[in-house]
Amino acid sequence: MFSTTDTIVAIATPPGRGGIGVVRISGPDACVIAGALREADAPLEPRRATFAKLRSGEQPIDHAVITFFPAPRSYTGDDVIEISAHGSPVILRAIVGAAVAGGARLAEPGEFTLRAFLNSRVDLAQAEAVADLIDAVTPLQARAAFDQLDGTLTERIASIDAMLFDLIARLEASVDFPEEGYHFIESRELVDALDGLLAHTTSLLADGRRGRVIREGFQIAIVGKPNVGKSSLFNALAGAPRAIVTPTPGTTRDLITEIVDVNGLRVTLVDSAGIRTTDDDVESVGVDLARRAMRIADAVLVVVDGSGALDDTDVEILRETTACRRVVVANKCDLRLEAPGGFLAVSARTGAGLAQLRDELAAVLDVDPTRDQPAITNLRHVTLVEHAHDALSRARAGVLERGPALSEEFVLADLQSARAALEEISGRRAADDLLAHIFARFCVGK
Ligand SMILES: Nc1nc2c(ncn2[C@@H]2O[C@H](COP(=O)(O)OP(=O)(O)OP(=O)(O)O)[C@@H](O)[C@H]2O)c(=O)[nH]1
Ligand SMILES: [Mg+2]
């Protein structure tokens, strides 16, 4: 990878124009480079916003506010200079250009956060949370990412790791002093300790399912026979007229998707062709697509026409979706008060029942945004906790199998591999290519 000891510079604010734009410089020469950029004699005081006139050589650039965060108490752990100038790409590029002329190097994507990780300002899970926080689409995603950045996952992993460390130490003592004929830990005690650890990994994994969908989102397919108002409901939930709505059955053929916020959950809604048997070639391709979308969705929203009675096609679709997580709605309730089949009455036209529909969709996805935030949201973390969990289960089975004449070496190997998995979450053991992969997700300047 690139050098981690030189001085880097990048624009930290998003591309485009704004009231303020920020250029960040990090590294041993940050102060010297910033000094050459401004017209002033007095050195920058730590953590004090200082007004400055910026120049590039003899050319004036802008009025700006410069703040100096000395190492190690800065974002990256190195000396950091933040320059807040007017948010014009021309000005910000000129500042970066002057910094490069002064000896800085353009930062790679995520390089500021990578340095924070390498300088132990954050662990790997926290660094990943920075990217998630920036990418968050719903407030719930932002909360989950913030909690991770704040160290909730780090703490939970560290407490499991500490217990493992203690157990390993005692087992190693037994292995190292076999002639004493004394076990530093008896098998019953070992099984109890493993049960305690497994309880922690189990609860982390349970949080993991909820957490991952908060981070990655769900897919919900809207299905029903033609003309029941699927596209109208899709538009109502999306808050925009995305899909064509007409009184002609068979209007929608393609799959149409839109990302919506359902009570804080990121949901990809999929509108599709009305399901029926048809001679129309194009429509029948659409019906196949609809069935496929229905099968891969995390949940389905089955729509029936509430203004009339159910017919065979409705019954068939209801039967096809019994095994799915689903919500069934009777649409067009503005035309008739009582919904057939006791289904939730909604109206895409008036908006009646839509709030309750959102609640029911969130409920069927089994994620309650008001509950405590899950500490684990990322597939990489879930997979590693699974590894640790499996290794602990193997260790437990091994102890039970061999009874009192337990063989510490086998158990030790499993415990070590559990520990290795957990340390990969925090990044204490992380290969360079893993780091490169994770930080490549960041944008420049982060
Ligand atoms: N009164 C009333 N009419 C509705 C409502 N929702 C949809 N409609 C009407 O029902 C007709 C069909 O609506 P669409 O949203 O196109 O129905 P669809 O299920 O997507 O139909 P296909 O794409 O053909 O399968 C249109 O004329 C809509 O205006 C509703 O809540 N109340
Ligand atoms: Mg439609």
Side-chain angles (χ1 to χ4, degrees):
M1 264 201 287
F2 33 81
S3 162
T4 53
T5 53
D6 55 358
T7 299
I8 52 175
V9 62
I11 300 172
T13 37
R17 292 166 203 282
I20 295 175
V22 176
V23 171
R24 186 142 66 174
I25 307 174
S26 173
D29 298 330
C31 267
V32 177
I33 291 169
L37 269 171
R38 69 192 186 111
E39 285 178 5
D41 303 324
L44 289 163
E45 281 180 54
R47 264 176 281 283
R48 188 186 185 111
T50 307
F51 178 80
K53 194 166 168 183
L54 300 181
R55 58 182 161 77
S56 169
E58 293 309 308
Q59 290 289 328
I61 305 179
D62 193 9
H63 288 151
V65 171
I66 303 186
T67 317
F68 167 42
F69 303 91
R73 284 175 53 211
S74 69
Y75 182 74
T76 59
D78 295 335
D79 279 353
V80 168
I81 294 282
E82 282 187 7
I83 302 175
S84 304
H86 292 104
S88 145
V90 181
I91 290 170
L92 299 177
R93 276 200 295 267
I95 298 172
V96 170
V100 170
R105 165 172 69 76
L106 291 177
E108 299 290 330
E111 201 174 353
F112 291 95
T113 310
L114 172 65
R115 287 195 173 184
F117 166 70
L118 294 174
N119 288 328
S120 304
R121 296 292 289 165
V122 293
D123 70 6
L124 194 53
Q126 289 172 305
E128 288 171 288
V130 172
D132 286 350
L133 192 55
I134 292 168
D135 287 346
V137 175
T138 69
L140 186 61
Q141 285 180 310
R143 245 308 284 291
F146 176 77
D147 283 352
Q148 187 174 321
L149 175 62
D150 209 28
T152 42
L153 177 61
T154 303
E155 274 167 31
R156 284 177 76 174
I157 297 290
S159 81
I160 301 177
D161 198 37
M163 287 189 262
L164 260 175
F165 179 78
D166 175 62
L167 207 51
I168 288 172
R170 294 206 279 167
L171 276 168
E172 275 175 347
S174 303
V175 174
D176 289 346
F177 305 104
E179 63 281 358
E180 330 263 300
Y182 172 75
H183 290 293
F184 283 77
I185 181 162
E186 295 304 327
S187 59
R188 187 66 251 163
E189 204 188 335
L190 185 53
V191 170
D192 286 348
L194 288 170
D195 281 341
L197 284 163
L198 283 164
H200 282 283
T201 49
T202 305
S203 112
L204 266 178
L205 288 174
D207 289 351
R209 196 195 81 82
R210 283 189 294 130
R212 228 176 67 229
V213 289
I214 287 178
R215 180 168 179 271
E216 287 162 20
F218 297 92
Q219 229 180 66
I220 297 182
I222 307 182
V223 297
K225 70 180 183 196
N227 222 38
V228 292
K230 297 179 297 301
S231 298
S232 305
L233 274 173
F234 175 87
N235 290 341
L237 290 169
R242 283 273 290 109
I244 298 174
V245 168
T246 75
T248 316
T251 302
T252 308
R253 272 100 191 274
D254 277 322
L255 298 180
I256 306 172
T257 63
E258 184 75 23
I259 295 176
V260 301
D261 177 339
V262 175
N263 292 2
L265 303 174
R266 178 192 170 101
V267 167
T268 305
L269 264 190
V270 185
D271 183 25
S272 57
I275 293 178
R276 66 169 167 183
T277 321
T278 166
D279 294 334
D280 183 311
D281 285 349
V282 181
E283 191 182 352
S284 87
V285 174
V287 172
D288 284 347
L289 286 177
R291 284 219 160 81
R292 207 170 306 160
M294 183 168 99
R295 277 195 294 272
I296 63 164
D298 298 291
V300 289
L301 170 56
V302 182
V303 186
V304 300
D305 186 338
S307 67
L310 297 188
D311 67 12
D312 290 350
T313 316
D314 293 315
V315 172
E316 181 49 37
I317 294 168
L318 286 169
R319 193 174 302 141
E320 263 183 69
T321 55
T322 33
C324 305
R325 291 170 186 270
R326 69 171 184 190
V327 175
V328 185
V329 293
N331 187 36
K332 310 194 188 182
C333 74
D334 51 298
L335 299 178
R336 188 172 128 185
L337 269 183
E338 128 212 26
F343 301 130
L344 173 63
V346 300
S347 167
R349 179 157 297 172
T350 65
L354 291 188
Q356 202 183 336
L357 171 56
R358 286 195 183 86
D359 290 346
E360 292 209 1
L361 287 174
V364 84
L365 292 170
D366 191 25
V367 179
D368 177 359
T370 56
R371 260 193 317 227
D372 275 346
Q373 298 297 303
I376 187 166
T377 58
N378 178 315
L379 182 57
R380 186 182 84 83
H381 304 160
V382 173
T383 311
L384 288 166
V385 174
E386 273 167 1
H387 283 318
H389 185 83
D390 292 347
L392 291 169
S393 305
R394 273 200 309 276
R396 186 183 188 278
V399 177
L400 289 179
E401 224 167 80
R402 292 185 203 93
L406 73 123
S407 167
E408 283 100 348
E409 281 95 341
F410 285 105
V411 177
L412 263 177
D414 286 329
L415 297 187
Q416 302 282 17
S417 98
R419 226 178 147 216
L422 295 180
E423 292 188 345
E424 216 177 295
I425 295 178
S426 60
R428 258 204 269 176
R429 294 188 211 189
D432 272 2
D433 53 349
L434 173 67
L435 295 183
H437 174 74
I438 287 173
F439 287 97
R441 263 189 65 210
F442 281 68
C443 25
V444 173
K446 303 301 174 293

